[in-house]
Amino acid sequence: MLNIALPKGRLGEKVYALFEKAGYECESIKENNRRLTFENKEKGIRYFWVKPSDVSIYVERGAADIGVAGKDILLEYEPDVYELLDLKMGACRMAVAAKKDFRDNTATTLKVATKFSNIAAKHYQMKARDIDIIHLNGSIELAPILELSDVIVDIVETGKTLYENGLEPIEDIVSISARLIANKSSFGFKTEKINEIKNKLQQIVENEQ
Ligand code: PRP
């Protein structure tokens, strides 16, 4: 059995549809229940739904042989996994945003609220800008509104959340999309099977470009 960790939620459904199209269907995944694991014995695969930010943990520790994780998570946690393929899904960007009237005063420490503390720290380190990171777990856009922070570092997809909260992007950091990742030793033991899946997915991704 090849264990595959899929990110639970909107992106996960699109990712599963891609695997299905590549010939790795699993009918029971479509049943409306709360099960988290699904097998197709004939194809030798087992899917499981995990929280998107946990996919790389399952893969790094070998509980999953392969999985799909956002580039944001890979940059933030730097898991020791192979990144095999850009699935070109869930495209968005990591950006700095602030209130519309924000002006950076470089004489003071910049307060940065984010879920992505490492990405933010590296970004400002490269600019030699002195910052104070305020690590939050969600609703990051609230921080500048309530003056908890000067700026935020967060994911921007359509820009709607920023706009509706009176914020605007002021700097792009990096482009983000979903990536196929593999456990390093699984890739050694199950190279053929993993490459077969990777190649089939790649063909579809390239055809859809
Ligand atoms: C992300 C991000 C923004 C929003 C951006 O949140 O943190 O809040 O999406 O999307 P937009 O540019 O299309 O408005 P997500 O939905 O991933 O959940 P979160 O609250 O856990 O961060």
Side-chain angles (χ1 to χ4, degrees):
M1 276 284 161
L2 191 84
N3 287 313
I4 306 173
L6 297 179
K8 207 173 170 179
R10 243 182 327 143
L11 174 65
E13 279 160 31
K14 283 195 210 159
V15 170
Y16 169 73
L18 178 68
F19 276 78
E20 188 179 58
K21 208 167 168 187
Y24 302 98
E25 72 286 350
C26 187
E27 280 312 309
S28 59
I29 212 165
K30 291 179 178 160
E31 288 165 13
N32 188 18
N33 60 33
R34 297 202 170 193
R35 282 195 55 187
L36 296 171
T37 64
F38 307 90
E39 272 180 29
N40 179 337
K41 288 210 174 76
E42 199 187 310
K43 295 270 159 95
I45 49 169
R46 182 194 292 130
Y47 290 109
F48 42 90
W49 294 121
V50 306
K51 199 176 151 125
S53 52
D54 289 342
V55 168
S56 64
I57 300 173
Y58 281 81
V59 175
E60 182 176 35
R61 291 180 173 263
D65 298 301
I66 60 172
V68 173
K71 185 68 179 174
D72 51 335
I73 300 298
L74 302 179
L75 290 170
E76 177 65 19
Y77 299 105
E78 299 182 342
D80 190 18
V81 297
Y82 290 133
E83 191 181 311
L84 301 180
L85 181 66
D86 182 350
L87 298 177
K88 314 265 166 92
M89 284 182 164
C92 52
R93 62 196 211 268
M94 186 69 63
V96 181
K99 283 204 278 194
K100 291 206 168 92
D101 57 3
F102 170 75
R103 294 285 168 273
D104 191 5
N105 174 3
T106 52
T108 63
T109 301
L110 185 71
K111 287 189 279 174
V112 183
T114 188
K115 256 201 291 201
F116 302 94
S117 298
N118 288 328
I119 295 176
K122 275 195 190 141
H123 174 69
Y124 284 105
Q125 206 170 28
M126 284 199 305
K127 297 157 74 94
R129 179 73 174 92
D130 186 27
I131 63 164
D132 176 15
I133 291 191
I134 301 159
H135 188 91
L136 297 176
N137 297 302
S139 300
I140 316 296
E141 293 82 1
L142 263 180
I145 298 171
L146 300 178
E147 286 172 13
L148 176 64
S149 76
D150 301 308
V151 300
I152 62 172
V153 167
D154 201 12
I155 285 170
V156 180
E157 192 180 346
T158 59
K160 206 165 171 228
T161 312
L162 292 180
Y163 179 77
E164 290 188 356
N165 287 290
L167 307 178
E168 62 183 11
I170 52 176
E171 207 183 345
D172 283 350
I173 299 180
V174 65
S175 298
I176 305 289
S177 57
R179 308 294 161 104
L180 178 69
I181 57 172
N183 172 269
K184 287 191 166 174
S185 79
S186 298
F187 191 71
F189 287 116
K190 304 178 183 176
T191 321
E192 206 177 317
K193 177 112 184 167
I194 294 175
N195 270 334
E196 176 194 298
I197 295 177
K198 180 205 148 193
N199 292 337
K200 287 188 178 159
L201 294 175
Q202 189 165 17
Q203 242 172 21
I204 299 174
V205 171
E206 283 170 5
N207 285 341
E208 283 177 358
Q209 287 288 291

